Amino acid sequence: MKTIFVTLLAFTLLLLSCIKDEKEDVINYIEENDKLPEFTVKSPTGEELHSDDLSGNTTLLVFFVTTCGDCKRELPKIDSVWNEMS
């Protein structure tokens, strides 16, 4: 019984860890026209994308988890920006 309670408590805390107060101030560490840091990512097919490949293009990088409530709320805003730019 104690194991079930601890597991449920841990699971609940995990789910609640993504929830933030809507009134919280947002701190932006980057500004428009900042230089993109160097990076390389690999697609599931093994193709690599380098930050240099994006030079001269408007780029929006979004890191999110589909199980995070805050992330899910942001996706429509990201989609709106994408539609405006494409």
Side-chain angles (χ1 to χ4, degrees):
M1 181 72 164
K2 184 176 179 181
T3 304
I4 293 173
F5 176 74
V6 170
T7 303
L8 287 175
L9 179 62
F11 184 71
T12 302
L13 291 174
L14 178 66
L15 288 176
L16 294 175
S17 66
C18 286
I19 298 173
K20 293 183 181 178
D21 186 358
E22 292 295 325
K23 297 177 184 178
E24 189 175 296
D25 290 334
V26 175
I27 300 171
N28 289 318
Y29 294 99
I30 59 171
E31 298 294 330
E32 187 174 341
N33 296 320
D34 278 357
K35 185 176 180 338
L36 183 65
E38 291 184 27
F39 68 89
T40 301
V41 292
K42 192 177 283 191
S43 74
T45 61
E47 184 178 349
E48 288 188 348
L49 173 69
H50 302 276
S51 54
D52 294 339
D53 298 337
L54 303 171
S55 180
N57 297 311
T58 301
T59 306
L60 174 65
L61 296 176
V62 180
F63 300 93
F64 65 93
V65 177
T66 57
T67 57
C68 173
D70 289 334
C71 299
K72 286 181 183 180
R73 282 192 294 279
E74 292 299 317
L75 288 176
K77 296 174 188 174
I78 294 166
D79 189 46
S80 174
V81 170
W82 173 261
N83 289 331
E84 286 178 27
M85 298 182 77
S86 48

